[in-house]
Amino acid sequence: MTLSQIFASRASRMQASEIRELLKLLDRPGLISFAGGIPDPALFPASEFATAFANGLSPDTQAQALQYSVSEGYLPLRQWIVGEMAKIGVPCSADNILITSGSQQALDYLGKVFLSPGDTALVGWPTYLGALAAFNAYEPRYDQLTANGNRKAESYAEEAENAGGQVKFAYLSADFANPTGETLDQRGRESLLDLTESLGCALIEDAAYQSLRYDGEQVPPLLSLEIARKGDIEACRTIYCGTFSKTLSPGLRVGWVVAAKPVISKLVLLKQAADLHSPTLNQMAMHEVAEEIFDGHVETLRDAYRQRRDAMLAALDQYMPANVSWTRPEGGMFIWVTLPTEMDGAELLAQSLESIGVAFVPGRAFFADGSGGNTIRLSFSCSDESEIRTGIEKLGGLLREV
Amino acid sequence: MTLSQIFASRASRMQASEIRELLKLLDRPGLISFAGGIPDPALFPASEFATAFANGLSPDTQAQALQYSVSEGYLPLRQWIVGEMAKIGVPCSADNILITSGSQQALDYLGKVFLSPGDTALVGWPTYLGALAAFNAYEPRYDQLTANGNRKAESYAEEAENAGGQVKFAYLSADFANPTGETLDQRGRESLLDLTESLGCALIEDAAYQSLRYDGEQVPPLLSLEIARKGDIEACRTIYCGTFSKTLSPGLRVGWVVAAKPVISKLVLLKQAADLHSPTLNQMAMHEVAEEIFDGHVETLRDAYRQRRDAMLAALDQYMPANVSWTRPEGGMFIWVTLPTEMDGAELLAQSLESIGVAFVPGRAFFADGSGGNTIRLSFSCSDESEIRTGIEKLGGLLREV
C-alpha cells in the first residue's frame, strides 16, 4: 500500500492545471506569451521595496519584522486598507480585515469555512480557475451563476438541496474578470445582491483587478452597494477579497479580506491553525510602499496597460477572421476570445506553440462544467505593443489556416 | 440568518487557543513570561537578513523576487535543504522537497491531503497544540500514540474502523518535543516505524526543534531510520517537516516538507490551489542567510539556550516543592511540569498572573482528550538567567501557598 492510496477523498479533486504547466513555457526564448495573468515585472516599484525592506530590518523594527506575529495581520497595514475601503464606499474598521497570503489564500479559506462536501457554490461559466482549484478541495457541487435575474433563488436552492447540501456562496470577480475581462453593471450587481439575500448565502467579491480601470465609469463594489442597502458592514453578506498582487507585487504574497466581524474572527482562527500569520516583514514593507506611492503607481500601471489593451484590440480588429469574436474590457489584463464552435482552444494552443510560437490559455479550464472548448484567454499585460501586434497577426494567420 | 449559521461543520472545531490569548500578554510591562514557544529576537541574524533582502532586491534579481513563482519553492533553497538532509542521513533530491510557509502550513496541508472526516490521527497525549488545531479542520478522531510498542497495530486499526475511518497517520515531534521537551530514543523510533508499517499509514515527523540539541547524542531522524531499512526515500512512509522558525526567523514563514515524490507532487498541487507559493523574496533571503551562517548561528543559539535551560533546571531543583516534577530536556525550548493531581494549570496561571506576574501555558490544551489539567509548560528561550531564577523562585513560592 502506498501513501497515495490513503489520501483523503478531496485529494482526487486536486489536479494539475493547464495554467501551471503553461507558466513553465514562459521562459522559452522567442516565444510571444499572452498566457500568464501576471503583472509586468518591469513595472514593479522595486527601489521603493528595497528601501521599505531595509527600513523594516532597521534596528528599531527588526525584532518585530522577524518574529512571530498575530494572525489578523500587521495593524498599520489593516488601517491603511480601512482608508482605501472608505474611498470606494466601504466604511469599516481594522477588525473587519484579515491579511492573507494573496487573495488566493482568501479563496482557500472561504471554501474551507463555508463548504461541506456536496454544498453548492455558484460561479460563472467561465470563472477564475484558481477559485475552482481552491474550492475543489472542499468537494462542492457547482451551479451556474447568472447575474441577469433570469434564474430564481428557489431554483438554485432546490437543486442544491437535491444534491444533498445548500448554496453557501456565489463567487465572482465583478470588474474586468479573469478570464473574460467583463464588468458587471450596477443593475446586475443589485440583482446579484437580491439573489444572495434570497438564498441566505454569502457573496464573495474577488476584487483582484478592481483598481486597474482604463476607461469608463467605476461601478461601485458589491460590498459598497450592500452597505448602502443595509447601513452597516456587520449586516452584510458580501465578503470582499483584495490583493496587492496586480498593483505592487505578487511575489510578496499580500492580500486581504473585508467582511463582517464574525466572519473575520472565524477566518483568523482558521489562519492561525493553517499558517499562523503572513510574513511580518512583507506586510510592513507593503504598508510602507502602499502609503507612499499607491495612487501614483496605479496611475502608471493604468497608462501602461491601457496602451497594451488598445494595441491588442486594434490588432484583433485588424487580423482576426470574421468567425472569431472577443470582449472589449475596460480594465484588467484579459481579452476573451470565442472561436468557431467546432474549434478547440487546447488544440489551437498546441499548433500555435509549434508553428508560430504564440502562447495563450485555452478556455475550458475556466468552466466548472467542462464546456467552453472553443474559447481562449489572451493577456496583454506582459507584452509591448509591437509584440502584441506581431503575436495577434500570427494568431490571426493561424486561425485562417486551420 | 447570519453567515455564521451556514459555516461548514468543520468550522465548529476551529476555536480560540489559550496560547493565542496568552501571546497578547507578552507585552505587559514587568511580566516574566515562560509562555511563548518563540525564539529570542535578540538572537535573530538581522544584519545578515538586511544584506540578503537588499541582494534579493538588487537589479539582477528584483523581477524574480517580486513576481509570481512556482509552487514547489525556490530551487536553490530546496537544493540547500537537500544538502542538510544528507548530513542527517536522508539522501533525497529537490523533487522530494516542498517549501511551505512555516511547518505549521505543512501540518495543515498534511491534514488536508490525508484526513477525511472520521479518519484517525495518532498523536501523543500531550502533543503540539498547533498540530491539533491544524488537523481539527479536517474533522479527525484522535487516538493516543504510544511509542513503547505496548499497543498493537490491530487495536488501533480496529478502533479506527469502528469510528468509521482508518488510521491515516501518526504525528510526533521526536526531538525535544513541544510541549514536553522529551526525546524518543532509537528503540522507540524503531517501534514506531514498525507500528506505522503495520498500519499502512503515514508517519509525520515534526522536526521543528531537531537542530537545537544542547547535550547528549543525536538520535537519527525517523526518516533516516526508515531509509536505512528500505534503501530509498521513495519507499518510505515518513514525512519530515522542517522549519527555519526556531533557527533563523519565524516571522519570514519558511519551512519545508521532505517525502516520497507522489506525496510532494500532491502537496504541490494543494499549495498551488491554496496560496500559489510562499513569498519568493523570503525564500531567496533565507537561502542566502542559511548558506552563509546556518551552522555557526545554530551553535550560537545552542550556547545561549543551553545556559537558559540549565538555569531553569537549577532553579526548579532549588525552588519547587517536593510534590512537583518536571522533564530534563536535552534541547529545544520547553520544560514540562507535572503538578499534584488535584491542581489545575489554568487556575494556577490566573493566580500567577495576578499575584506574581509570571506567565506559562497550562497543559490541558496539548491533550486531544482534554486531560492533563495538572500540567504546565515552561519555556526558557526568551528569558535571561536572572529572570528565569526570579520567575521560578516566585512560582515555587506560589505553589507552596496554593
Side-chain angles (χ1 to χ4, degrees):
Chain A
M1 185 157 66
T2 72
L3 292 183
S4 306
Q5 291 171 281
I6 60 165
F7 286 163
S9 63
R10 70 176 67 83
S12 66
R13 289 181 65 169
M14 302 170 189
Q15 299 298 335
S17 89
E18 289 180 277
I19 279 197
R20 177 185 165 70
E21 297 309 309
L22 278 167
L23 275 172
K24 296 179 181 165
L25 297 174
L26 294 183
D27 289 335
R28 217 171 81 178
L31 187 85
I32 296 179
S33 176
F34 304 135
I38 62 178
D40 184 347
L43 299 170
F44 291 150
S47 64
E48 286 83 354
F49 275 120
T51 304
F53 274 94
N55 289 340
L57 289 168
S58 67
D60 281 355
T61 53
Q62 59 190 210
Q64 182 188 6
L66 298 173
Q67 186 57 288
Y68 285 116
S69 151
V70 295
S71 304
E72 290 88 339
Y74 180 59
L75 184 58
L77 179 61
R78 288 156 62 218
Q79 288 167 333
W80 182 87
I81 292 167
V82 166
E84 291 299 298
M85 296 305 297
K87 292 182 196 166
I88 55 171
V90 178
C92 64
S93 78
D95 291 340
N96 295 111
I97 294 169
L98 167 72
I99 303 297
T100 56
S101 293
S103 60
Q104 187 67 34
Q105 185 173 67
L107 300 180
D108 175 48
Y109 287 2
L110 290 168
K112 194 172 183 177
V113 85
F114 282 111
L115 296 171
S116 289
D119 276 338
T120 292
L122 306 185
V123 297
W125 270 208
T127 192
Y128 169 49
L129 73 81
L132 297 176
F135 302 152
N136 279 345
Y138 307 103
E139 301 173 273
R141 161 187 175 266
Y142 294 107
D143 201 348
Q144 185 180 10
L145 179 65
T146 56
N148 52 16
N150 283 352
R151 195 163 151 208
K152 297 272 177 283
E154 293 72 28
S155 151
Y156 284 114
E158 195 178 305
E159 292 195 19
E161 201 177 326
N162 291 342
Q166 58 179 306
V167 180
K168 288 296 181 69
F169 58 73
Y171 163 83
L172 87 164
S173 182
D175 302 273
F176 337 119
N178 180 358
T180 66
E182 290 178 328
T183 297
L184 187 64
D185 63 18
Q186 186 160 345
R187 194 170 151 189
R189 294 182 194 215
E190 296 288 359
S191 158
L192 203 50
L193 289 172
D194 293 339
L195 176 67
T196 50
E197 190 64 36
S198 300
L199 285 167
C201 72
L203 174 56
I204 301 176
E205 174 171 28
D206 183 340
Y209 301 92
Q210 202 169 77
S211 48
L212 295 180
R213 174 175 281 282
Y214 312 136
D215 38 40
E217 285 287 302
Q218 192 186 323
V219 189
L222 289 152
L223 181 52
S224 80
L225 293 172
E226 192 177 8
I227 292 175
R229 287 180 176 199
K230 295 180 174 171
D232 187 343
I233 191 172
E234 295 308 322
C236 288
R237 306 182 164 284
T238 304
I239 299 168
Y240 179 103
C241 302
T243 179
F244 290 108
S245 291
K246 315 302 179 186
T247 51
L248 295 180
S249 160
L252 298 177
R253 313 304 302 129
V254 184
W256 66 91
V257 185
V258 186
K261 283 173 199 161
V263 174
I264 295 298
S265 299
K266 191 56 95 172
L267 291 175
V268 168
L269 290 173
L270 194 164
K271 184 166 176 68
Q272 187 193 11
D275 71 0
L276 298 182
H277 62 87
S278 291
T280 325
L281 177 59
N282 299 34
Q283 297 183 64
M284 294 167 74
M286 197 61 89
H287 171 246
E288 182 175 322
V289 173
E291 195 162 68
E292 272 177 23
I293 65 158
F294 190 77
D295 287 349
H297 187 71
V298 167
E299 209 46 63
T300 305
L301 295 177
R302 284 187 189 126
D303 289 343
Y305 293 146
R306 181 189 296 112
Q307 289 181 25
R308 295 174 194 180
R309 179 206 56 179
D310 290 346
M312 190 172 273
L313 286 173
L316 288 163
D317 287 339
Q318 185 171 355
Y319 296 115
M320 281 292 135
N323 56 1
V324 171
S325 62
W326 55 92
T327 58
R328 304 192 82 85
E330 294 184 320
M333 300 182 170
F334 307 108
I335 293 173
W336 182 245
V337 177
T338 304
L339 308 170
T341 333
E342 70 281 4
M343 284 190 62
D344 184 87
E347 284 172 26
L348 183 70
L349 175 63
Q351 287 175 291
S352 177
L353 288 172
E354 190 174 320
S355 63
I356 59 171
V358 174
F360 50 81
V361 179
R364 186 178 281 116
F366 299 94
F367 288 80
D369 68 343
S371 66
N374 65 323
T375 56
I376 63 173
R377 188 194 75 178
L378 301 176
S379 169
F380 50 80
S381 58
C382 273
S383 310
D384 65 32
E385 291 155 67
S386 125
E387 266 186 330
I388 287 172
R389 196 176 168 79
T390 308
I392 296 297
E393 181 177 5
K394 287 183 174 178
L395 193 57
L398 179 65
L399 279 164
R400 282 169 211 280
E401 280 169 31
V402 292
Chain B
M1 185 157 65
T2 72
L3 292 183
S4 306
Q5 292 172 279
I6 60 165
F7 286 163
S9 63
R10 70 174 69 83
S12 65
R13 289 181 65 169
M14 302 169 189
Q15 299 298 334
S17 89
E18 289 180 278
I19 280 198
R20 176 184 165 71
E21 298 309 308
L22 279 167
L23 274 173
K24 295 179 181 164
L25 298 175
L26 295 184
D27 288 335
R28 220 170 80 177
L31 186 86
I32 295 179
S33 177
F34 304 134
I38 62 180
D40 184 346
L43 298 171
F44 291 149
S47 65
E48 286 83 354
F49 275 120
T51 304
F53 275 94
N55 289 342
L57 289 167
S58 67
D60 282 356
T61 53
Q62 59 190 210
Q64 182 188 5
L66 298 173
Q67 186 59 288
Y68 286 116
S69 152
V70 295
S71 304
E72 290 86 339
Y74 181 59
L75 184 58
L77 178 61
R78 288 156 63 218
Q79 288 167 332
W80 182 86
I81 291 167
V82 166
E84 291 298 300
M85 296 306 296
K87 291 183 197 167
I88 55 172
V90 178
C92 64
S93 78
D95 292 339
N96 295 111
I97 293 170
L98 167 72
I99 303 297
T100 57
S101 293
S103 60
Q104 186 67 35
Q105 186 173 67
L107 300 181
D108 175 47
Y109 287 2
L110 290 167
K112 195 171 184 177
V113 85
F114 283 111
L115 296 171
S116 288
D119 275 339
T120 292
L122 307 184
V123 297
W125 270 207
T127 192
Y128 169 49
L129 73 81
L132 297 176
F135 302 152
N136 278 344
Y138 307 103
E139 302 174 272
R141 161 187 176 266
Y142 294 107
D143 201 348
Q144 184 179 9
L145 179 63
T146 56
N148 53 16
N150 283 352
R151 196 163 149 209
K152 295 272 178 284
E154 293 71 28
S155 151
Y156 285 114
E158 196 178 303
E159 293 195 18
E161 201 177 325
N162 290 342
Q166 57 179 306
V167 179
K168 287 298 182 68
F169 57 73
Y171 163 82
L172 87 163
S173 182
D175 303 273
F176 337 119
N178 179 358
T180 65
E182 289 178 329
T183 297
L184 186 64
D185 63 18
Q186 187 158 346
R187 194 169 151 189
R189 295 181 194 216
E190 296 287 359
S191 159
L192 203 51
L193 289 172
D194 292 339
L195 177 67
T196 50
E197 190 64 36
S198 299
L199 285 166
C201 72
L203 174 56
I204 300 175
E205 174 171 27
D206 183 341
Y209 301 93
Q210 202 168 78
S211 47
L212 295 180
R213 173 175 281 281
Y214 311 135
D215 38 40
E217 283 288 304
Q218 193 186 322
V219 190
L222 288 153
L223 181 52
S224 80
L225 292 172
E226 192 177 8
I227 292 175
R229 287 181 177 201
K230 296 179 173 171
D232 188 342
I233 191 173
E234 295 308 321
C236 288
R237 306 184 163 280
T238 304
I239 299 169
Y240 179 103
C241 302
T243 180
F244 290 108
S245 290
K246 315 303 178 187
T247 50
L248 296 179
S249 159
L252 298 177
R253 313 304 302 128
V254 185
W256 66 91
V257 185
V258 186
K261 283 174 197 160
V263 174
I264 295 298
S265 300
K266 192 55 95 171
L267 291 175
V268 167
L269 290 173
L270 194 164
K271 185 166 176 68
Q272 187 194 12
D275 72 1
L276 298 182
H277 63 86
S278 291
T280 325
L281 177 59
N282 299 35
Q283 298 182 63
M284 293 166 74
M286 197 61 89
H287 172 246
E288 183 175 320
V289 173
E291 196 162 67
E292 272 177 24
I293 65 158
F294 191 76
D295 287 348
H297 187 70
V298 167
E299 208 46 65
T300 304
L301 295 177
R302 283 188 190 128
D303 289 343
Y305 292 146
R306 181 189 295 113
Q307 289 182 25
R308 296 173 194 182
R309 178 206 58 179
D310 290 346
M312 190 172 272
L313 287 173
L316 287 164
D317 287 339
Q318 186 171 354
Y319 297 115
M320 281 291 134
N323 56 2
V324 172
S325 62
W326 55 91
T327 57
R328 303 191 83 86
E330 294 184 321
M333 300 183 170
F334 306 109
I335 293 174
W336 182 245
V337 177
T338 303
L339 308 170
T341 332
E342 69 281 5
M343 285 190 61
D344 184 86
E347 284 172 26
L348 183 69
L349 175 64
Q351 288 176 292
S352 176
L353 287 172
E354 191 175 318
S355 63
I356 58 170
V358 174
F360 50 82
V361 180
R364 187 178 280 115
F366 299 93
F367 288 80
D369 68 342
S371 65
N374 65 324
T375 55
I376 63 173
R377 188 194 75 179
L378 302 176
S379 169
F380 51 79
S381 57
C382 273
S383 312
D384 65 31
E385 290 155 69
S386 126
E387 267 186 328
I388 287 172
R389 196 176 168 79
T390 306
I392 296 297
E393 181 177 5
K394 287 182 175 181
L395 193 58
L398 179 64
L399 278 165
R400 281 169 211 280
E401 281 168 30
V402 293

